[in-house]
Amino acid sequence: MIRAATRIAGMILTLVVSSFVIFAAMYAAPGDPVTFLIGNPENITPERIAEVKAQYNLDQPLIVQYGLWASQAFIGNLGTSFQYHQPVAELMATRLPATLALVAIASVLFIVAGVGLGILSALRQGKRTDSTITAATTLAASVPSFVIGLLLVSIFSVQLGWFPVSGAGEGFLDRLHHLVLPAVALAVGAVAIVSRVTRQSMVEQLSMDHVEAARSFGLAPAKLVRRHVLRNAWGPILTMVALVVASMLAGTVVVESVFGISGVGKLLVDAINTHDFPVVQAVLLYMVITYMVVTTLVDLVHPLLDPRIKAKDKKS
Amino acid sequence: MSSLSTPTLASTPVIGRKKRDVAYLVSLGFLLLVVAAALLAPWVAPYAANAVDFTAIWQAPGAGHLLGTDQVGQDLFSRLIHGARESLLGPLALLALATVFGVTIGTVAAWNGGWIDVVLARITDVMFAFPGLLFVVLVIAVFGKGPATAIVALALAYAPVIAKFTRSLALAEMTRPYVDAYRVQGVGGAFLCVRYIIPNLTPPLLGYLVVLFGEGLMSLATLSFLGFGAQPPSSEWGLMVQEGQSGIIQGHIWPTLVPGAAIAAVVVAVNVVGVRLSDRLNSRFER
């Protein structure tokens, strides 16, 4: 209980500091923040300057301004986009579904492939299959996701015509059809990480005495893996999967750019290019919050799922 | 997108020793070849990096153009070689910058403890709150795009990671008897750190830095691909991929494939060399 409280307090503290960094970064920008906030030099008129100053409370000290911005953000008011002249919250709401769908499909792919290959690797430990899997996944993780994405488009969309070239699609099946390739591009790097953790965790469990005992009783290999190895090995695997999903939620920028998916990541890139600072701030804030909440949740839920950790905690 | 990972250099001893030796030598040879090509670019490259030839656009690899041409007839092989300079110097500069700051802060934090240690821990906490390249994106959003901003921003992101790694190494090093021996002789802390402790940390750090080099190369290429790093007319590899993107829909894969494969090949080679180097240096270090 105390552990959970300190963990959550720590998360909130880090969140406050990082949101302050996101907010204050704008003031570190060279030049007058007013011109920076307006962005497009053509829009700089005395009226617009006065309007922006009032809107952003620029006459107040920085810390007060941050307080105002943060409290507004807390109740869901993220300001108005310069580019789209639309509330940022609305803008993000329209962009989120595509990003979430992309991450969901990618997660299914990397979990199935990563855990599957990891198990296979552990069972064939030291054999050719094992080294091939390690080498192949490491190699795949060394190719940048934008290169993988473009190769997939070239082969499966342009040459074979199996998938659309870009966009996120409408409706369930169409969206799935559109997002499979981007999801593969997003998932490839994660497969190496997850399969490595799975293999490691499985290998550790396989060398345990109780597994050896079960094997000597003649338990079928499949049952042995399911009942005695995987059951004890899945703690680290689950943690890693959650961490990867958390960073994926904030890591779709590149893949969305490659496949022209108008998700949150694409929104961020466009906002940077058009100096649409309220949008940049909001998207960064969203990504940092999501990442931190998910990682903290993993930390908190983990001992509930695995009693051994709780026991260890009590002892120390 | 690659993210800043905590140091995990434990190589999996899956592949046999002989095979690893071969992989190491091949990787090292390949990297030397790439560096040599980059250094000698103006003399080795058959064409200038920006020699436009509209009579030879989108050619497949062949006799005239070893790796083909792009949408304005620029020779891809020549652009690759010229671009190798920026593609390799970028991560080098970023690591140099991050290492100077990271090693200094990490050693001071380990030696002094106290508030410097606490501040370092808080800074790394906040840095780790920004997943992947988000911190770098924030810096670029504020200071504008360009190769210099991208390098400095990435250096800022890497410095705390290196500092944390250095700190843990330095803490272990400080428990060794020779440190106390010098201390009782009245050797000053700063002198002891610079003269003895930091040099002793170099072997394990070096292997880690080599792996970080691969990660930095990939991150910089990613930023250039997004349009935040190198700008035209540079032929930095990430930028080359981005420029080649337009040809894909028309079925021209070479302008994307060539620089993309170059990035992947260098990153793989760097990782193989890095892991091998840290294995070897660490075992000597431990003995």
Side-chain angles (χ1 to χ4, degrees):
Chain A
M1 213 45 227
I2 297 170
R3 200 187 82 94
T6 37
R7 188 72 181 80
I8 291 172
M11 182 198 84
I12 292 173
L13 186 71
T14 314
L15 207 62
V16 170
V17 176
S18 36
S19 65
F20 183 74
V21 169
I22 291 172
F23 179 76
M26 183 171 52
Y27 291 86
D32 187 5
V34 178
T35 52
F36 194 75
L37 278 167
I38 294 172
N40 189 350
E42 286 164 22
N43 292 346
I44 300 180
T45 56
E47 299 87 65
R48 185 84 181 106
I49 289 176
E51 189 190 326
V52 165
K53 269 198 171 165
Q55 187 185 349
Y56 285 88
N57 309 296
L58 285 176
D59 33 5
Q60 308 273 351
L62 182 60
I63 195 81
V64 175
Q65 292 180 40
Y66 166 72
L68 289 168
W69 174 76
S71 53
Q72 283 299 307
F74 193 71
I75 56 168
N77 177 11
L78 294 163
T80 309
S81 156
F82 298 143
Q83 188 66 20
Y84 305 94
H85 304 287
Q86 203 182 338
V88 177
E90 258 175 46
L91 211 54
M92 286 191 52
T94 58
R95 300 295 193 102
L96 260 177
T99 300
L100 293 180
L102 174 61
V103 172
I105 301 171
S107 301
V108 171
L109 290 176
F110 88 76
I111 292 170
V112 171
V115 174
L117 288 175
I119 293 175
L120 195 65
S121 219
L123 294 179
R124 299 266 185 286
Q125 195 191 338
K127 303 225 174 78
R128 175 164 286 186
T129 322
D130 185 17
S131 55
T132 309
I133 288 174
T134 309
T137 51
T138 313
L139 189 76
S142 302
V143 186
S145 56
F146 58 91
V147 175
I148 294 180
L150 289 172
L151 290 181
L152 289 174
V153 169
S154 170
I155 297 168
F156 294 103
S157 302
V158 179
Q159 309 290 341
L160 297 173
W162 290 355
F163 294 98
V165 171
S166 70
E170 300 286 331
F172 181 75
L173 280 180
D174 190 36
R175 173 147 286 183
L176 196 65
H177 189 213
H178 274 81
L179 292 182
V180 167
L181 286 188
V184 171
L186 191 60
V188 166
V191 172
I193 305 171
V194 173
S195 68
R196 199 175 305 154
V197 171
T198 307
R199 178 186 180 278
Q200 187 68 30
S201 187
M202 290 267 301
V203 165
E204 253 165 49
Q205 291 300 324
L206 277 168
S207 64
M208 297 286 234
D209 289 342
H210 73 91
V211 176
E212 196 61 44
R215 194 178 305 161
S216 66
F217 278 125
L219 202 66
K223 214 171 197 178
L224 182 80
V225 167
R226 255 200 333 269
R227 284 230 187 127
H228 295 271
V229 181
L230 258 189
R231 183 175 285 183
N232 286 318
W234 67 295
I237 303 172
L238 200 73
T239 311
M240 187 45 82
V241 164
L243 288 180
V244 171
V245 172
S247 53
M248 257 186 195
L249 283 167
T252 56
V253 177
V254 175
V255 169
E256 283 180 19
S257 299
V258 170
F259 289 90
I261 298 164
S262 31
V264 181
K266 188 91 178 8
L267 182 68
L268 178 64
V269 173
D270 293 343
I272 290 172
N273 284 327
T274 54
H275 295 287
D276 197 346
F277 223 93
V279 174
V280 175
Q281 284 178 327
V283 175
L284 286 178
L285 191 66
Y286 147 78
M287 287 178 167
V288 169
I289 290 176
T290 325
Y291 181 69
M292 291 205 59
V293 168
V294 175
T295 48
T296 310
L297 269 181
V298 173
D299 247 27
L300 294 179
V301 170
H302 195 181
L304 298 182
L305 296 177
D306 192 343
R308 284 173 301 174
I309 292 176
K310 214 169 168 184
K312 229 183 268 168
D313 268 7
K314 268 195 190 134
K315 250 186 252 163
S316 59
Chain B
M1 186 183 281
S2 70
S3 58
L4 294 176
S5 46
T6 38
T8 45
L9 283 177
S11 67
T12 32
V14 177
I15 305 163
R17 191 181 187 95
K18 205 167 178 189
K19 267 189 194 160
R20 267 195 304 173
D21 279 345
V22 172
Y24 171 69
L25 288 176
V26 169
S27 302
L28 198 64
F30 173 71
L31 287 181
L32 288 177
L33 199 70
V34 174
V35 170
L39 287 175
L40 303 172
W43 296 280
V44 196
Y47 298 86
N50 300 304
V52 173
D53 179 4
F54 286 108
T55 61
I57 64 167
W58 273 328
Q59 290 198 347
H65 297 279
L66 211 53
L67 293 176
T69 60
D70 65 7
Q71 72 278 6
V72 288
Q74 302 178 112
D75 180 56
L76 287 173
F77 181 59
S78 304
R79 281 178 75 69
L80 196 68
I81 291 180
H82 281 283
R85 293 182 156 195
E86 195 174 345
S87 306
L88 298 178
L89 273 180
L92 203 63
L94 117 77
L95 272 194
L97 213 60
T99 306
V100 169
F101 282 105
V103 169
T104 310
I105 297 169
T107 315
V108 171
W111 186 262
N112 286 350
W115 66 270
I116 299 176
D117 207 14
V118 174
V119 170
L120 173 69
R122 286 294 139 258
I123 292 176
T124 28
D125 271 1
V126 172
M127 282 292 192
F128 286 137
F130 289 87
L133 290 174
L134 276 198
F135 177 78
V136 178
V137 167
L138 176 68
V139 175
I140 286 168
V142 171
F143 292 100
K145 30 194 161 175
T149 323
I151 288 170
V152 173
L154 268 173
L156 280 176
Y158 278 30
V161 185
I162 296 176
K164 212 174 173 184
F165 189 54
T166 309
R167 179 183 170 277
S168 65
L169 289 175
L171 279 178
E173 187 70 14
M174 273 160 48
T175 61
R176 302 181 78 172
Y178 80 87
V179 177
D180 283 335
Y182 279 118
R183 261 179 167 169
V184 291
Q185 288 175 39
V187 176
F191 181 77
L192 187 56
C193 283
V194 173
R195 182 68 184 79
Y196 299 104
I197 294 187
I198 293 180
N200 277 340
L201 303 184
T202 313
L205 255 178
L206 204 66
Y208 181 48
L209 287 178
V210 171
V211 174
L212 271 188
F213 179 90
E215 220 171 274
L217 194 150
M218 214 142 96
S219 302
L220 273 176
T222 303
L223 290 172
S224 295
F225 172 77
L226 289 172
F228 296 154
Q231 302 292 327
S234 159
S235 60
E236 196 268 350
W237 295 344
L239 188 64
M240 277 179 78
V241 174
Q242 187 216 45
E243 287 172 350
Q245 196 179 357
S246 58
I248 283 190
I249 299 178
Q250 296 159 62
H252 305 292
I253 185 71
W254 293 104
T256 310
L257 188 63
V258 167
I263 297 169
V266 170
V267 172
V268 170
V270 163
N271 281 340
V272 170
V273 171
V275 168
R276 174 61 190 261
L277 218 57
S278 59
D279 273 5
R280 198 185 266 182
L281 294 171
N282 278 349
S283 59
R284 192 189 299 163
F285 184 61
E286 272 153 20
R287 227 173 271 153

